[in-house]
Amino acid sequence: MKIRVDMSENEIPRFWYNILSDLGEIPPMMDPRTKEPLSTDALTVLFPRECVRQEASKERRIEIPEEVREQYIRIGRPTPLYRAKRLEEYLKTPAKIFFKREDVTPTGSHKLNTALAQAYYARQEGTERLTTETGAGQWGSALSYAGAMFDLNILVFMVRVSYNQKPYRKFVMKLYGAEVVPSPSDRTEVGKRFLKEDPEHPGSLGIAISEAIEVAVKDEKSKYSLGSVLNHVLLHQTVIGLEVLEQLRRLELKPDVMIGCVGGGSNFAGFTFPAIGRVLRGEEKGMRFVAAEPVACPSMTKGEYRYDFGDTARTTPLLKMFTLGCDFVPPPIHAGGLRYHGAAPTVSLLKKEGVIESVAYPQEEVFKAAKLFAELEGLIPAPETSHAVKAAIDEALKAKKEVKERVIVFNYSGHGLLDLVGYHQVLGL
Ligand SMILES: *Cc1c(COP(=O)(O)O)cnc(C)c1O
């Protein structure tokens, strides 16, 4: 039984897969003032031009620049696909469980796949600095790494509760040469407003986004970089799902159920979209796609599908998505990367149309599943990733009950070696 499938470095995909080519019309981003679809000019103030082009492109395949492919080699792509054989045996399930190792990159998660692409385009276009937000610190670490590789300055607004709970990630960012500020901060008007309300404000991704945007808009040498939600970000992540389909093909298997955790939706989308494309084109039937999220921030499971702002200060364009409301400040759970009030418009549309499902889990169950996974498979998952681990276990138990030999594949979005305090606090280790 093969427990690991590798690909060689010259097999890294040459193109990203763009789901907009198979989705038909999708609700456009709206300008909150005019209530009209947003002009591309408005977006180029914030993002590199190539990212803006990709945001609206309908081409099915978008070429990955050679420089970015070379960086993909450096971070360990193609990442291996593993079979969770000991977990299968423990659960006594007839299902086969596979997981894609996005934890093997230098910063420990999938986020480098887009950080490197965004930094490359920014540098090409003469930008000197990228500003961004980070929750648990994974996105900030990834962009800081990409900044180091492509000679860009990076300014990171880090959600204050994570800044305090997870001190090591800020050291990672600083080691790569980035500047890291807890958010809300006194560096921006938005930040000052929230600090005045509460000097100990825990912050949220929504607030940190507002701060990073404010700085980028006021400085023409700076652009803003987002780690999830937008089409071009999800596009860059599809390298994951393209590799997975090839790896399963080599085993002569097809996925029955694909699972990913959802914060803004980028790892879930990157992992599932190439397979979902096949479903949308009528080439495959019967595959299920499950998005796993926390009960504390159940955007897809409990949110409403409507236009909403991407940030708390209401400065972003309006996005049609599942949302808990842009004012929603999620409780400080350890899965910082899942504390976002909305979910990517494309992922939301697919949920609305019944192509994907979602499920929400309470924190303690998620950590227990993670501990079981660590004992059986030897890997300690990130708290975010643990939601996908929990969902995969549930699906494997369902397959056992129904006596079905399903192929269950989940995205192992990152490791938890910098999240041990969370394990300690929740499981009382
Ligand atoms: C950021 C992060 C997530 C959540 O973000 P998405 O954009 O939804 O993928 C999930 N897992 C890990 C390990 C992360 O770092």
Side-chain angles (χ1 to χ4, degrees):
M1 186 198 296
K2 214 162 155 64
I3 61 151
R4 167 174 167 164
V5 187
D6 288 301
M7 283 161 62
S8 68
E9 56 187 57
N10 56 18
E11 293 171 311
I12 291 176
R14 294 185 185 273
F15 297 86
W16 291 300
Y17 162 69
N18 178 14
I19 198 159
L20 297 187
S21 63
D22 289 312
L23 270 181
E25 283 310 305
I26 82 155
M29 271 192 224
M30 296 290 228
D31 185 324
R33 284 171 300 255
T34 61
K35 299 274 183 314
E36 295 287 325
L38 196 76
S39 72
T40 12
D41 288 353
L43 282 177
T44 40
V45 175
L46 284 181
F47 301 105
R49 280 186 302 280
E50 178 57 20
C51 293
V52 174
R53 190 191 74 78
Q54 293 175 356
E55 188 62 24
S57 168
K58 293 262 185 186
E59 294 163 82
R60 178 159 298 150
R61 296 172 359 134
I62 294 182
E63 192 168 359
I64 305 177
E66 261 322 296
E67 292 84 346
V68 174
R69 286 185 80 239
E70 186 187 310
Q71 293 293 340
Y72 280 177
I73 294 173
R74 198 182 295 282
I75 65 170
R77 303 218 74 85
T79 59
L81 181 73
Y82 270 51
R83 180 155 175 194
K85 181 173 154 255
R86 284 171 45 86
L87 178 61
E88 287 171 21
E89 284 164 2
Y90 173 87
L91 297 174
K92 298 189 173 64
T93 176
K96 296 186 174 73
I97 308 173
F98 292 91
F99 57 104
K100 177 68 164 165
R101 295 283 310 271
E102 290 300 303
D103 62 307
V104 299
T105 71
T107 59
S109 82
H110 65 286
K111 292 201 169 72
L112 283 169
N113 298 328
T114 184
L116 288 163
Q118 293 190 46
Y120 168 74
Y121 293 128
R123 187 69 233 173
Q124 280 255 308
E125 295 176 19
T127 297
E128 291 176 9
R129 182 171 69 167
L130 286 174
T131 68
T132 198
E133 72 292 333
T134 196
Q138 275 131 333
W139 170 241
S141 313
L143 197 67
S144 302
Y145 174 102
M149 291 302 123
F150 289 110
D151 272 331
L152 278 166
N153 297 321
I154 304 291
L155 171 61
V156 184
F157 289 92
M158 183 169 189
V159 176
R160 184 179 305 272
V161 4
S162 300
Y163 188 91
N164 295 331
Q165 266 178 4
K166 303 186 173 180
Y168 291 113
R169 295 227 188 257
K170 69 182 176 237
F171 303 146
V172 172
M173 293 183 249
K174 288 181 177 177
L175 274 169
Y176 289 130
E179 191 182 351
V180 190
V181 178
S183 165
S185 78
D186 59 8
R187 297 276 288 261
T188 64
E189 297 309 315
V190 178
K192 284 183 201 153
R193 222 165 60 221
F194 283 104
L195 281 181
K196 207 157 145 199
E197 264 172 36
D198 175 3
E200 297 299 311
H201 200 297
S204 71
L205 277 175
I207 295 171
I209 293 172
S210 305
E211 290 205 274
I213 289 181
E214 187 182 319
V215 172
V217 168
K218 287 180 177 164
D219 170 18
E220 56 174 61
K221 296 267 162 61
S222 293
K223 295 271 177 187
Y224 165 66
S225 177
L226 191 63
S228 189
V229 180
L230 296 180
N231 299 337
H232 67 274
V233 181
L234 276 48
L235 169 79
H236 302 152
Q237 293 294 352
T238 57
V239 63
I240 304 172
L242 292 164
E243 288 175 8
V244 168
L245 290 180
E246 172 59 22
Q247 286 163 321
L248 288 173
R249 193 192 62 77
R250 290 182 188 186
L251 299 174
E252 294 175 23
L253 293 173
K254 282 182 185 167
D256 294 304
V257 190
M258 294 186 85
I259 299 165
C261 61
V262 170
S266 75
N267 89 85
F268 175 82
F271 175 66
T272 58
F273 278 7
I276 290 179
R278 291 186 181 176
V279 172
L280 295 175
R281 294 193 298 275
E283 297 163 14
E284 298 283 352
K285 284 207 274 280
M287 284 186 202
R288 289 174 51 231
F289 305 95
V290 181
E293 37 178 31
V295 159
C297 192
S299 332
M300 303 243 292
T301 310
K302 291 272 174 66
E304 283 177 52
Y305 186 60
R306 63 174 167 85
Y307 272 103
D308 195 10
F309 292 94
D311 68 336
T312 309
R314 301 169 185 247
T315 52
T316 67
L318 290 167
L319 303 170
K320 184 125 187 209
M321 59 181 178
F322 275 97
T323 175
L324 296 162
C326 64
D327 295 322
F328 181 76
V329 177
I333 51 167
H334 290 282
L338 306 188
R339 291 177 74 241
Y340 184 64
H341 66 272
T346 46
V347 174
S348 293
L349 181 65
L350 287 163
K351 162 88 201 263
K352 181 74 187 167
E353 293 185 345
V355 179
I356 65 180
E357 311 159 32
S358 70
V359 56
Y361 295 113
Q363 177 159 267
E364 196 171 331
E365 281 183 32
V366 165
F367 273 89
K368 283 185 179 150
K371 181 162 190 300
L372 180 67
F373 192 78
E375 286 175 18
L376 292 166
E377 296 295 328
L379 299 170
I380 298 171
E384 292 85 357
T385 310
S386 305
H387 290 72
V389 171
K390 168 72 181 153
I393 292 173
D394 278 9
E395 285 295 332
L397 291 173
K398 201 184 321 169
K400 175 177 174 180
K401 212 159 128 205
E402 296 168 8
V403 200
K404 290 272 175 6
E405 276 187 42
R406 286 190 189 120
V407 176
I408 298 168
V409 194
F410 69 97
N411 195 28
Y412 195 81
S413 57
H415 70 66
L417 291 176
L418 292 177
D419 303 281
L420 297 177
V421 173
Y423 277 91
H424 160 69
Q425 286 175 355
V426 177
L427 298 177
L429 304 174

